[in-house]
Amino acid sequence: MEYLVEMKNMTMKFPGVIALNNVSFALKPGEVHVLLGENGAGKSTLVKMLSGINRPTQGEIIIGGKSYAYLTPKKSAENKIALIYQELSVINELSIAENLYVGKLPHKKVAGISLVDYKTINENAKKYMDAIGLKRNPSTLVQDISISEKQQVEIAKALASEAKIIVMDEPTSSLSIEETEELFRIIRNLKKQGIGIIYISHKLKEIKEIGDRVTVLKDGCYVGTREVAELEVDDLIPMMVGRKITGNHLGNREQIEKDNEVIFKVENLTRKDGTARNISFEVRKGEIVGFGGLIGAGRSECMEGIFGAKPISSGKIYLRGKELKIKDTYEALKQGIAMVTENRRETGFFQNFNIWQETSVTTNLKKSKLGGVTGLLNEKAERAKAEEEVEALNTKCSSVDQMTVNLSGGNQQKVIIGKWLAIDADVFIFDEPTKGIDVGAKSEIYAIMRKMAEAGKAIIMVSSDMPELLQTCDRIIVFKNGEISGVLNSEEATEEKIMYAAVTVD
Ligand SMILES: Nc1ncnc2c1ncn2[C@@H]1O[C@H](COP(=O)(O)OP(=O)(O)OP(=O)(O)O)[C@@H](O)[C@H]1O
Ligand SMILES: [Mg+2]
């Protein structure tokens, strides 16, 4: 069998870190080869060697009978490799068609002047868009399309470059169930054309659905490669984490009923822009309340309204019976509300901060006066707090002095969660907290949420991951079109019931 690409004994050292240690990997034509491992295991590092971003410290890459010590971005493109990054890299200000031809726009001469040949690129782009079912006008600006469509643009771009090897690094982390199905349909078509796909995901369920083979990495080392048809997903967990994972994080129903103390209450909240309407709910002591529904159903919009990030036209918010007046997010923070936002790339972390600086941002803001203008800094205490959070979340880093930007995707995410856990809030809103987080760390985060709930904090979790809602939340509130369409207790909740409430037209 001729491999599309073979990577032999790859090693990658960064200052102070061995990100990959002697890892081998091979991709066959027409297969989906899943790359699996905990946050920081080295998955992104390995595939970035194929795109020419990472220059291996050691190893050999064999493509089409040729051996390379490393690839440059140019060599990577020549060898028909396309990489769709963990964070999408389409350019919002350009049209779909322009994105497909970035850096290689065809020109034509008109009266001696060289002009971009828009007719040709739009026609060609349409061909690739049709192939993957992206129903848009090629001249539409990318900023006007959804995340899943942006991802389809990335795939169309890979096709336009006639890629034979396509790498997808956590492609479904921001996709809804339907969008994920659509992506899988596209992937199955790519396979039929003999294209090989390297697929990275933390959603273990997807492996059975789309994978042919799976290779597991752990702490930068190779653990093993298996045929997906011959295994159960649960077999992979010990290969990845080497310890047992507790599945159920539900609270004690009787205790919750008995305490029954309402910590947090929202009454008839409606956002000015109407994206969330007439929202009322309570969170009791010891309880984790989940918010389910389709992407775009208004859950994040509702939380932004509560947190003062977006204006509301009506609604009352109570903490332990006392009404809160929240004008903006600073006020929300001051009055005891913390929110881990969904869109972490834009509202996530500071590019030029290390871990302890990042972790102290929220605490300092809460302590400060005059809307965050003044405040005392205390490096020693801040470091200690950051170390505590790193330990609690098992964040993989060399020390709290490491720059957040140099961490793996999932570990950046843990730093962001850590900085919110670090503040002493009464209400914690987690919006898709485990996006990009590995299976072991997820379980740790749920356990922390549970502990906080039992300590009397109001815990709210918005999640599109139904298994996550079911194993963690004592009550699930379902949204549809900006309104609450159902409330389910943990004993009665099932994926079907959540879906039913999320989509049924009444
Ligand atoms: N540019 C860099 N400088 C320093 N260290 C780096 C750099 N890039 C990656 N690392 C380190 O290499 C290790 C592997 O990171 P990598 O991004 O490959 O993990 P991953 O398996 O993709 O994890 P995740 O699931 O969290 O995305 C991590 O410890 C990370 O901190
Ligand atoms: Mg990664």
Side-chain angles (χ1 to χ4, degrees):
M1 153 78 64
E2 175 89 0
Y3 288 113
L4 286 174
V5 60
E6 256 188 291
M7 303 175 83
K8 286 189 174 164
N9 308 100
M10 309 310 297
T11 294
M12 181 84 214
K13 291 184 182 159
F14 291 109
V17 193
I18 302 180
L20 275 183
N21 191 355
N22 206 25
V23 169
S24 297
F25 178 88
L27 182 69
K28 297 175 190 169
E31 81 165 341
V32 174
H33 195 149
V34 179
L35 207 45
L36 194 66
E38 286 182 296
N39 295 130
K43 306 176 297 292
S44 296
T45 303
L46 184 72
V47 295
K48 281 179 186 163
M49 290 173 168
L50 288 178
S51 63
I53 293 185
N54 280 347
R55 188 173 286 208
T57 316
Q58 242 164 18
E60 184 188 13
I61 302 173
I62 302 167
I63 310 174
K66 269 205 191 137
S67 162
Y68 301 89
Y70 63 89
L71 296 175
T72 58
K74 188 162 168 275
K75 273 271 166 282
S76 167
E78 281 169 18
N79 280 301
K80 305 293 177 202
I81 299 171
L83 206 136
I84 299 170
Y85 292 98
Q86 209 158 353
E87 300 290 356
L88 296 178
S89 61
V90 280
I91 302 167
N92 279 322
E93 290 72 21
L94 298 182
S95 74
I96 296 175
E98 286 166 328
N99 263 284
L100 262 47
Y101 290 95
V102 161
K104 47 186 176 191
L105 286 174
H107 285 68
K108 62 177 176 190
K109 285 235 153 117
V110 179
I113 305 166
S114 175
L115 294 175
V116 173
D117 184 357
Y118 277 105
K119 188 163 175 288
T120 306
I121 70 162
N122 282 337
E123 276 171 18
N124 285 347
K126 188 85 181 61
K127 202 171 71 194
Y128 295 113
M129 289 163 67
D130 285 346
I132 59 165
L134 175 55
K135 294 176 194 67
R136 284 281 189 176
N137 189 319
S139 56
T140 310
L141 288 184
V142 163
Q143 66 198 20
D144 297 329
I145 65 180
S146 71
I147 290 186
S148 72
E149 287 174 317
K150 286 182 190 181
Q151 195 173 45
Q152 292 178 351
V153 172
E154 293 265 22
I155 298 171
K157 190 171 151 187
L159 294 181
S161 68
E162 293 169 346
K164 287 267 166 282
I165 298 165
I166 301 182
V167 183
M168 300 185 185
D169 197 348
E170 295 187 40
T172 59
S173 63
S174 303
L175 300 190
S176 68
I177 297 169
E178 294 81 7
E179 289 164 346
T180 301
E181 281 309 318
E182 180 65 19
L183 176 71
F184 287 173
R185 192 188 60 74
I186 295 168
I187 291 179
R188 289 188 190 107
N189 273 332
L190 297 175
K191 281 175 59 167
K192 277 187 212 143
Q193 299 164 42
I195 293 172
I197 291 157
I198 304 175
Y199 189 92
I200 300 176
S201 174
H202 288 292
K203 298 184 181 169
L204 300 183
K205 257 174 85 177
E206 295 181 351
I207 299 175
K208 269 287 191 195
E209 209 177 330
I210 199 70
D212 297 302
R213 288 196 301 157
V214 51
T215 288
V216 181
L217 301 183
K218 183 170 167 50
D219 295 330
C221 296
Y222 176 83
V223 179
T225 302
R226 303 274 187 277
E227 295 287 334
V228 170
E230 291 164 11
L231 58 79
E232 292 304 321
V233 170
D234 284 349
D235 304 338
L236 293 166
I237 294 176
M239 289 175 77
M240 284 170 69
V241 286
R243 71 194 130 86
K244 231 179 130 51
I245 295 190
T246 42
N248 186 338
H249 296 270
L250 293 173
N252 179 337
R253 190 86 231 159
E254 272 172 29
Q255 194 64 38
I256 296 167
E257 300 287 344
K258 191 165 107 299
D259 282 354
N260 202 24
E261 180 195 342
V262 173
I263 309 258
F264 187 62
K265 187 167 161 181
V266 171
E267 247 176 35
N268 278 319
L269 182 125
T270 294
R271 251 178 71 160
K272 258 204 180 115
D273 62 9
T275 48
R277 301 178 306 279
N278 302 318
I279 307 300
S280 300
F281 67 91
E282 296 173 347
V283 185
R284 284 174 288 177
K285 181 162 187 244
E287 191 182 44
I288 298 177
V289 176
F291 284 77
L294 302 180
I295 287 176
R299 297 167 297 164
S300 300
E301 285 74 8
C302 167
M303 298 308 155
E304 287 166 356
I306 295 172
F307 193 54
K310 290 284 157 59
I312 55 173
S313 55
S314 71
K316 290 192 166 143
I317 298 168
Y318 301 90
L319 177 61
R320 295 202 174 83
K322 185 173 155 274
E323 189 180 346
L324 304 181
K325 290 283 180 208
I326 299 168
K327 294 189 304 287
D328 52 32
T329 54
Y330 177 68
E331 283 293 319
L333 201 60
K334 276 288 197 201
Q335 296 183 47
I337 306 183
M339 175 160 167
V340 182
T341 56
E342 174 189 22
N343 195 343
R344 281 172 284 268
R345 196 177 193 191
E346 279 153 33
T347 53
F349 63 89
F350 294 93
Q351 296 285 320
N352 52 347
F353 275 14
N354 63 28
I355 297 174
W356 72 261
Q357 290 166 329
E358 185 65 48
T359 309
S360 29
V361 166
T362 42
T363 315
N364 285 328
L365 196 59
K366 189 174 178 194
K367 276 196 298 205
S368 69
K369 308 225 161 55
L370 304 173
V373 181
T374 68
L376 280 179
L377 302 181
N378 178 351
E379 181 174 333
K380 202 166 157 218
E382 288 172 5
R383 280 173 168 281
K385 192 73 203 167
E387 271 156 15
E388 210 178 284
E389 296 305 337
V390 160
E391 165 105 29
L393 293 165
N394 197 9
T395 309
K396 200 179 166 206
C397 59
S398 48
S399 76
V400 293
D401 290 301
Q402 199 175 352
M403 303 297 284
T404 314
V405 70
N406 281 341
L407 298 178
S408 78
N411 284 303
Q412 289 176 350
Q413 167 74 2
K414 290 186 191 177
V415 172
I416 294 166
I417 294 182
K419 81 175 168 186
W420 288 105
L421 296 181
I423 64 169
D424 188 25
D426 299 293
V427 181
F428 284 89
I429 303 172
F430 294 96
D431 195 354
E432 308 280 1
T434 62
K435 212 195 249 182
I437 297 263
D438 69 53
V439 50
K442 270 184 194 163
S443 170
E444 278 150 29
I445 290 172
Y446 304 148
I448 291 173
M449 288 166 70
R450 174 57 56 201
K451 237 180 23 220
M452 296 200 305
E454 279 163 2
K457 316 252 178 215
I459 307 292
I460 293 168
M461 174 163 74
V462 175
S463 174
S464 299
D465 183 340
M466 287 196 286
E468 166 168 286
L469 287 174
L470 291 169
Q471 59 168 292
T472 318
C473 301
D474 306 297
R475 214 144 40 87
I476 300 167
I477 296 174
V478 186
F479 264 56
K480 191 183 70 189
N481 292 335
E483 289 180 286
I484 292 177
S485 58
V487 179
L488 300 160
N489 276 334
S490 55
E491 315 88 79
E492 50 168 348
T494 59
E495 291 201 17
E496 291 72 29
K497 285 184 184 165
I498 298 174
M499 269 321 264
Y500 187 78
V503 300
T504 314
V505 198
D506 35 29

